[in-house]
Amino acid sequence: MTNDGGKDNFLKLIESNKKIIFKICNSYCRNNAEREDLAQEIIYNLWRSGESFKKDYKFSTWMYRVALNVAISFYRKENKRQTTPLNEHVFNIEDSIGASAESEENINLLQKFINDLKELDRALMILYLEEKSYIEIADILGISETNVATRISRCKEKLKQKFLQHNN
């Protein structure tokens, strides 16, 4: 970052992509203090690894990759389970005026089931629910596009089975 306008340029990039940090922090942390710590750790790592950013790629893709790697490491280090409910800040799910209690319950169940996934699968589902393309997800997570498709399919099947078990 220091070669391309220094601190001001870095701060502008962070500001214009801050939703990425919020989504990841909300998905990996239970409380505000943990989210703040993780956000600081992500920003620090983005600054520190700024030299590795290649201008051929979108900044947001690179940012997702760094942020998810930091979040997974943070999660493992803390060895805590996340119970943050899904809301409009995590996945931009809009509440409809006539939303039923059943629909709300299903969203909460989906969030709980996603939280039970392994770290990489959880990151994969976050990006999938963000409607990122398989190519973007592959770039962010550093896995092949085929692996993305396979893992998403398996995660969907796991989530479907958990819903079926819950409803029986």
Side-chain angles (χ1 to χ4, degrees):
M1 295 293 131
T2 57
N3 293 342
D4 297 325
K7 181 180 172 184
D8 291 336
N9 188 41
F10 176 75
L11 292 174
K12 286 178 188 173
L13 287 168
I14 294 298
E15 181 63 28
S16 64
N17 291 281
K18 67 185 176 186
K19 288 182 181 181
I20 293 170
I21 295 172
F22 293 146
K23 289 172 190 168
I24 291 172
C25 291
N26 284 333
S27 296
Y28 280 86
C29 297
R30 285 195 253 192
N31 61 52
N32 283 335
E34 288 176 355
R35 284 190 286 273
E36 288 174 11
D37 288 346
L38 179 55
Q40 288 178 356
E41 189 70 22
I42 289 169
I43 293 169
Y44 169 74
N45 276 278
L46 287 166
W47 176 259
R48 193 179 70 177
S49 60
E51 300 299 322
S52 70
F53 174 65
K54 295 180 176 88
K55 294 181 182 180
D56 299 342
Y57 298 103
K58 288 175 49 179
F59 180 79
S60 61
T61 299
W62 176 77
M63 187 177 185
Y64 257 119
R65 188 173 196 169
V66 171
L68 283 169
N69 285 332
V70 171
I72 289 169
S73 295
F74 183 88
Y75 175 81
R76 286 179 181 161
K77 182 177 137 189
E78 297 297 320
N79 196 25
K80 295 179 180 174
R81 284 295 186 180
Q82 174 238 12
T83 58
T84 305
L86 288 179
N87 59 36
E88 65 276 358
H89 300 292
V90 179
F91 294 112
N92 295 326
I93 297 173
E94 293 183 13
D95 292 335
S96 61
I97 294 172
S100 69
E102 183 179 329
S103 175
E104 202 169 308
E105 180 184 343
N106 285 338
I107 290 171
N108 290 333
L109 279 173
L110 176 62
Q111 200 283 318
K112 178 188 179 305
F113 297 153
I114 289 173
N115 287 341
D116 292 339
L117 296 173
K118 294 178 183 174
E119 293 94 349
L120 181 62
D121 290 340
R122 185 182 324 157
L124 187 77
M125 292 310 294
I126 290 169
L127 295 169
Y128 175 76
L129 291 172
E130 277 286 309
E131 298 180 357
K132 297 290 183 189
S133 70
Y134 284 11
I135 293 171
E136 285 179 295
I137 295 171
D139 285 345
I140 291 167
L141 296 178
I143 60 178
S144 71
E145 191 176 346
T146 303
N147 197 352
V148 168
T150 301
R151 290 178 88 95
I152 286 175
S153 177
R154 289 179 183 162
C155 287
K156 286 172 144 182
E157 188 58 37
K158 283 180 191 176
L159 295 171
K160 181 179 174 183
Q161 291 303 317
K162 287 187 178 217
F163 270 106
L164 290 173
Q165 289 172 355
H166 177 76
N167 290 330
N168 288 333

